[in-house]
Amino acid sequence: MTNISSFCLVFSTLLTIFNPISALKSCEFPAIFNFGDSNSDTGGFVASFPPLNSPYGETYFRMPAGRFSDGRLIIDFVAKSLNLSFLSAYLDSLGTNFTVGANFATASSTITLPARIIPANNGFSPFYFLVQYNQFEQLKARSQLIRKQGGVFARLMPKKEYFQKALYTFDIGQNDLGAGFFGNKSVEEVNASVPNIVNTFLTDVKSIYNSGARSFWIHNTGPIGCLGYILANFPSAEKDSVGCAKSYNEVAQYFNYELKETVLHLRRVFPSAAFTYVDVYSVKYSLFSEPKKHGFELPLVACCGSGGMYNYNSSAGCGATITVNGTQITVGSCDDPSVRVVWDGIHYTDAANKFVFEQISTGAFSDPPIPLKMACHRTVG
């Protein structure tokens, strides 16, 4: 027994030396504060503008739940994995609970101030990143005043210490590229705008750090050229071997390169904080390049939509009421969303979001390669 115990001790020591992450304890995140667009919006957009119609939310919530999907988003799986409840949208005034954080993400949001601020499917949200940061500052200050005042709302606010201990998550940038593409800019012009977009992101993240944030989980942007709203609106774009719009994905990849460089810069400037860059692009692209391997089919075709080879039409979107041969019908979903990648031509299904989360949460697609539950800053000494 002594020899076995000694062997185990030596093996454990060597494992720790060669894989120091194994020696770290899981973080205890008491809250999440999320910033982003429709990829992580849990109700902000619909609290401000017309609500989503069925079949949005049908798979998991059995009703529209403020999410641009048939079910849960990646941020929902993040919260669940940390034993936290789903995040309430900051903009939602009905039944919200901010004890475990808040979600500032709003569909159609951008990092930079968009040229067109039109709250509609064809426009871009007024709640761009700087506004979301300002909302965060409001919550941070006013929540503590409410807690001091006591009463029924006090128990719905996060504790003061949560703001430093929380996980800060980011998934934004896709609409900045989309704003350029749909603003009649060439691919080259959109590409040229990327450094300014990323520099704005850097400025706002620094502000959030200066407000006390220390643990940052930053998603890059996905393969926009694989989504129906790009493929249907830019049919002449050169396709790659998978069928995605090659040059549009290349712009996304350039954005991701600049974003990663920015995260590395933040890490150098703020060494006491934890900045984790998460390669969501690679995981999402694998759903288009190897769908059968992962249990999916027809990856380029929207589950909920109407018309064309991608089942996407901006004037007859998911849940819309349209007239066909004199009869009004609702644009519905496919028979089995659980085997589909794209929900409505722009966003992903519950099943796809679950798959992406399961891949990125391990740390296999992160820099540094640290699992989600260990991606916190650690006090030295």
Side-chain angles (χ1 to χ4, degrees):
M1 290 294 292
T2 302
N3 291 336
I4 294 175
S5 298
S6 299
F7 173 78
C8 290
L9 178 62
V10 171
F11 181 77
S12 178
T13 302
L14 289 173
L15 183 63
T16 299
I17 294 173
F18 290 107
N19 184 17
I21 292 175
S22 66
L24 299 177
K25 292 182 179 180
S26 293
C27 308
E28 294 184 6
F29 294 117
I32 300 171
F33 295 102
N34 181 68
F35 303 81
D37 52 32
S38 57
N39 288 304
S40 59
D41 180 0
T42 56
F45 187 91
V46 300
S48 308
F49 306 117
L52 295 169
N53 298 320
S54 180
Y56 281 97
E58 67 174 12
T59 297
Y60 183 81
F61 300 99
R62 306 302 180 191
M63 59 182 289
R67 292 155 173 80
F68 287 77
S69 177
D70 62 313
R72 295 158 294 183
L73 309 179
I74 295 172
I75 189 64
D76 292 317
F77 292 104
V78 169
K80 181 181 178 182
S81 74
L82 299 178
N83 296 316
L84 301 175
S85 58
F86 292 157
L87 295 183
S88 290
Y90 175 78
L91 291 172
D92 191 356
S93 60
L94 302 173
T96 49
N97 186 333
F98 299 128
T99 54
V100 296
N103 193 354
F104 304 95
T106 309
S108 300
S109 290
T110 53
I111 294 172
T112 56
L113 177 63
R116 296 184 299 154
I117 303 182
I118 306 173
N121 291 336
N122 294 326
F124 299 93
S125 169
F127 303 108
Y128 62 105
F129 194 14
L130 179 59
V131 173
Q132 294 182 23
Y133 161 68
N134 289 332
Q135 292 171 338
F136 165 72
E137 286 293 325
Q138 284 275 340
L139 177 67
K140 184 181 178 186
R142 295 180 64 190
S143 63
Q144 300 315 297
L145 289 175
I146 293 172
R147 284 183 61 84
K148 288 180 181 179
Q149 291 170 354
V152 65
F153 297 111
R155 62 183 179 82
L156 301 177
M157 298 295 125
K159 295 180 180 179
K160 182 178 180 180
E161 61 268 25
Y162 284 9
F163 288 94
Q164 184 172 30
K165 295 179 179 179
L167 177 67
Y168 288 76
T169 53
F170 305 82
D171 193 327
I172 193 168
Q174 178 177 320
N175 292 322
D176 291 87
L177 306 184
F181 296 141
F182 288 97
N184 295 321
K185 288 185 178 181
S186 67
V187 169
E188 292 75 21
E189 288 173 322
V190 178
N191 216 47
S193 72
V194 166
N196 178 61
I197 295 169
V198 174
N199 189 57
T200 302
F201 179 84
L202 171 64
T203 299
D204 293 338
V205 170
K206 282 183 176 179
S207 296
I208 294 171
Y209 172 89
N210 290 331
S211 290
R214 290 297 179 268
S215 301
F216 299 78
W217 180 264
I218 302 171
H219 292 185
N220 66 12
T221 199
I224 190 172
C226 298
L227 300 175
Y229 82 122
I230 293 294
L231 293 167
N233 282 292
F234 304 98
S236 62
E238 179 186 354
K239 307 299 190 297
D240 64 13
S241 60
V242 175
C244 300
K246 184 178 179 182
S247 59
Y248 292 81
N249 275 350
E250 288 173 348
V251 174
Q253 290 171 327
Y254 176 53
F255 172 88
N256 291 340
Y257 168 80
E258 290 291 340
L259 181 65
K260 186 173 183 179
E261 289 297 308
T262 295
V263 173
L264 294 176
H265 170 75
L266 285 165
R267 211 176 284 160
R268 291 191 295 269
V269 175
F270 304 120
S272 64
F275 291 93
T276 306
Y277 171 87
V278 186
D279 184 14
V280 171
Y281 182 101
S282 292
V283 182
K284 287 184 174 178
Y285 189 77
S286 73
L287 290 172
F288 298 99
S289 62
E290 299 179 296
K292 291 183 179 179
K293 176 181 176 181
H294 305 307
F296 293 89
E297 63 185 29
L298 302 173
L300 300 175
V301 182
C303 172
C304 185
S306 175
M309 65 185 298
Y310 304 109
N311 199 34
Y312 175 80
N313 185 336
S314 60
S315 61
C318 180
T321 300
I322 61 174
T323 301
V324 177
N325 298 325
T327 303
Q328 283 195 332
I329 64 169
T330 298
V331 177
S333 63
C334 57
D335 292 334
D336 188 2
S338 70
V339 296
R340 301 295 283 274
V341 175
V342 177
W343 169 242
D344 58 4
I346 306 175
H347 310 98
Y348 291 79
T349 61
D350 178 284
N353 286 327
K354 183 175 186 290
F355 172 83
V356 174
F357 168 76
E358 288 172 347
Q359 303 305 306
I360 64 174
S361 62
T362 65
F365 293 87
S366 298
D367 181 356
I370 296 176
L372 171 65
K373 292 183 178 181
M374 295 182 180
C376 55
H377 84 289
R378 298 176 188 275
T379 304
V380 178

